[in-house]
């Protein structure tokens, strides 16, 4: 059997014995010469159970996904234990649907790729999701008919289109720190304080919808986007200064949930244009949890002969995983002043 570990997303929350049992239910014949490499990708990193079959040319042969959004909306956010149980209940069904849709039998698979570690989008995505989900909860958007079925981040983005960001001025996080760190906790506190103040001014109880909710959403989204843009801008300048990136035509890839926010995409596009870089973002459909990204990473690793396990004994997941070498201290010492950009 061939099994690939995928470094992307947050930790797979299926128990080790479940993964072993599930994979052992398939019979593989790796010695069989296949015309094409076919990989089944399994994604259970957060709140959706997803799977997909992809071939070596990038064709998506089949996919399926089970969304947990409706369940988590009731509690205002994701509860890990609930998400875990829903993954357990749906993974086998989702994989079977994927294989059926692709017309592929388990024996024809070259490998299985599964999410086991954190990945590149987390530094942006986790902070943004943390911030927008709390702003969304505090604004009680679940009670708004137009946004009651949306995730927190999506609701904020849609509501912000109707607001004026200039009506509120939130301080940019870590404004005086010349590094590339992200922080949203201070912003969340400031927003909560502002909402409480406005509730008193409008004479409404906590949990009711403010008349200025759209303006607050617009201001928060802009502040978050500006914060991400400035830190990313400094990171690009640092890498160009150190010769890590070419002077022109370097590529900034933004993926994961954060890339589904079009306002943030446009903000980062301003940064890449100013630094002669190219911005690459997946189609919106592929920015949220899906098995396609896992399967394709599996194809890449399979072709390169990297991270391949021939039995299930070595499978493990890691709640935290460092990415490369930590150079934050060097970035701090460089103290690069980021030029102002009109956002």
């Amino acid at each position: 059997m061939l099994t690939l570990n995928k470094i992307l997303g947050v930790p797979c929350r299926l128990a080790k014995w479940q993964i072993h049992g599930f994979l052992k239910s398939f019979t593989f014949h790796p010695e069989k010469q296949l015309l094409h490499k076919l990989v089944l990708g399994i994604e259970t990193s957060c709140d959706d159970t997803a799977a997909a079959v992809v071939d070596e040319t990038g064709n998506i042969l089949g996919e399926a996904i089970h969304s947990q959004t409706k369940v988590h909306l009731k509690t205002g956010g994701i509860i890990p234990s609930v998400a875990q149980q829903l993954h357990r209940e749906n993974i086998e069904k989702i994989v079977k649907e994927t294989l059926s849709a692709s017309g592929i039998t388990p024996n024809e698979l070259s490998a299985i790729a599964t999410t086991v570690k954190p990945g590149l989008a987390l530094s942006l995505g986790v902070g943004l999701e943390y911030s927008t989900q709390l702003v969304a909860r505090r604004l009680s958007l679940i009670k708004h008919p137009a946004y009651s079925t949306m995730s927190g981040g999506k609701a904020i983005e849609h509501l912000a289109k109707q607001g004026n960001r200039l009506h509120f001025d939130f301080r940019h996080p870590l404004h005086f720190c010349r590094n590339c760190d992200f922080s949203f906790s201070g912003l969340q506190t400031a927003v909560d304080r502002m909402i409480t103040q406005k509730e008193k001014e409008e004479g409404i109880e906590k949990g009711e919808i403010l008349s200025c909710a759209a303006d607050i959403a617009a201001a928060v989204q802009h502040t978050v986007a500006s914060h991400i843009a400035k830190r990313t801008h400094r990171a690009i300048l640092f890498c160009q200064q150190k010769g890590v990136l070419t002077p022109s035509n370097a590529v900034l890839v933004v993926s994961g949930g954060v890339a589904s926010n079009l306002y943030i995409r446009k903000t980062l596009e301003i940064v890449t244009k100013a630094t002669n870089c190219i911005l690459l973002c997946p189609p919106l459909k592929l920015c949220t949890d899906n098995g396609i990204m896992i399967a394709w990473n599996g194809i890449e690793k399979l072709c390169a002969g990297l991270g391949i396990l021939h039995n299930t004994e070595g499978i493990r997941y890691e709640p935290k995983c460092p990415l490369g070498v930590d150079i934050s201290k060097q970035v701090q010492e460089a103290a690069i002043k980021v030029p102002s950009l009109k956002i």
Side-chain angles (χ1 to χ4, degrees):
M1 182 190 295
L2 293 175
T3 305
L4 304 182
N5 286 345
K6 169 69 178 76
I7 302 180
L8 188 105
V10 289
C12 170
R13 293 192 173 92
L14 290 176
K16 187 175 181 180
W17 66 267
Q18 284 186 301
I19 297 176
H20 286 186
F22 179 69
L23 295 180
K24 286 180 179 178
S25 66
F26 292 140
T27 301
F28 292 87
H29 300 286
E31 69 280 359
K32 182 179 179 181
Q33 297 298 314
L34 300 175
L35 295 177
H36 299 288
K37 290 184 175 64
L38 301 173
V39 170
L40 168 67
I42 299 175
E43 157 64 1
T44 58
S45 67
C46 193
D47 60 332
D48 288 334
T49 307
V53 173
V54 174
D55 68 17
E56 61 187 16
T57 64
N59 290 323
I60 302 168
L61 304 184
E63 65 170 318
I65 186 170
H66 176 270
S67 174
Q68 301 180 6
T69 300
K70 290 183 179 180
V71 175
H72 296 303
L73 278 173
K74 297 177 181 178
T75 57
I78 298 170
I79 298 177
S81 60
V82 175
Q84 180 188 52
Q85 183 58 34
L86 290 173
H87 282 313
R88 288 173 174 170
E89 294 173 0
N90 292 286
I91 184 170
E92 186 169 2
K93 179 186 70 173
I94 289 301
V95 170
K96 286 183 177 179
E97 288 180 5
T98 298
L99 293 174
S100 176
S102 65
I104 298 297
T105 65
N107 289 343
E108 295 177 281
L109 292 173
S110 306
I112 292 177
T114 181
T115 312
V116 295
K117 296 181 182 180
L120 297 176
L122 284 189
S123 58
L124 301 178
V126 169
L128 174 67
E129 190 68 12
Y130 171 80
S131 178
T132 55
Q133 288 287 358
L134 287 174
V135 172
R137 292 184 201 174
R138 191 63 184 84
L139 286 174
S140 303
L141 297 189
I142 194 172
K143 296 182 179 180
H144 196 297
Y147 311 110
S148 60
T149 60
M150 296 182 183
S151 64
K154 187 175 182 181
I156 288 292
E157 181 179 8
H158 281 260
L159 181 62
K161 294 177 182 178
Q162 304 174 31
N164 185 342
R165 67 175 179 82
L166 298 178
H167 284 179
F168 293 93
D169 184 19
F170 295 112
R171 181 185 293 273
H172 285 205
L174 304 179
H175 180 66
F176 296 105
C177 298
R178 293 186 179 179
N179 54 37
C180 297
D181 296 345
F182 296 97
S183 175
F184 299 93
S185 57
L187 174 61
Q188 192 272 325
T189 300
V191 173
D192 185 73
R193 189 182 301 118
M194 178 61 71
I195 292 175
T196 299
Q197 177 185 325
K198 289 299 177 182
E199 286 173 340
K200 291 180 180 179
E201 292 178 4
E202 295 189 13
I204 65 174
E205 296 293 328
K206 182 176 180 179
E208 295 182 41
I209 301 175
L210 287 168
S211 63
C212 58
D215 294 336
I216 293 177
V220 170
Q221 178 175 252
H222 179 76
T223 303
V224 169
S226 298
H227 177 55
I228 291 175
K230 188 169 185 177
R231 315 314 272 189
T232 304
H233 193 177
R234 179 175 285 111
I236 293 174
L237 294 177
F238 177 84
C239 290
Q240 290 178 336
Q241 185 182 95
K242 298 297 181 180
V244 179
L245 292 177
T246 57
S248 62
N249 295 324
V251 177
L252 172 66
V253 178
V254 182
S255 61
V258 68
S260 64
N261 186 296
L262 297 182
Y263 191 90
I264 291 178
R265 282 198 189 199
K266 292 178 181 178
T267 303
L268 289 174
E269 188 175 359
I270 294 173
V271 173
T272 53
K273 285 183 178 179
T275 53
N276 295 315
C277 293
I278 298 171
L279 177 66
L280 288 183
C281 298
L284 292 178
K285 180 178 181 292
L286 300 183
C287 288
T288 52
D289 295 344
N290 64 84
I292 298 170
M293 61 182 178
I294 310 301
W296 180 250
N297 184 270
I299 285 288
E300 293 280 5
K301 286 192 171 184
L302 185 62
C303 291
L306 300 174
I308 300 176
L309 303 177
H310 293 272
N311 59 65
T312 61
E313 296 304 315
I315 294 179
R316 56 192 289 263
Y317 63 84
E318 301 175 31
K320 295 182 180 179
C321 177
L323 290 170
V325 179
D326 184 1
I327 60 171
S328 56
K329 185 176 180 180
Q330 294 94 304
V331 176
Q332 180 77 40
E333 292 172 347
I336 297 175
K337 184 177 181 180
V338 178
S340 296
L341 295 177
K342 186 176 181 181
I343 297 176

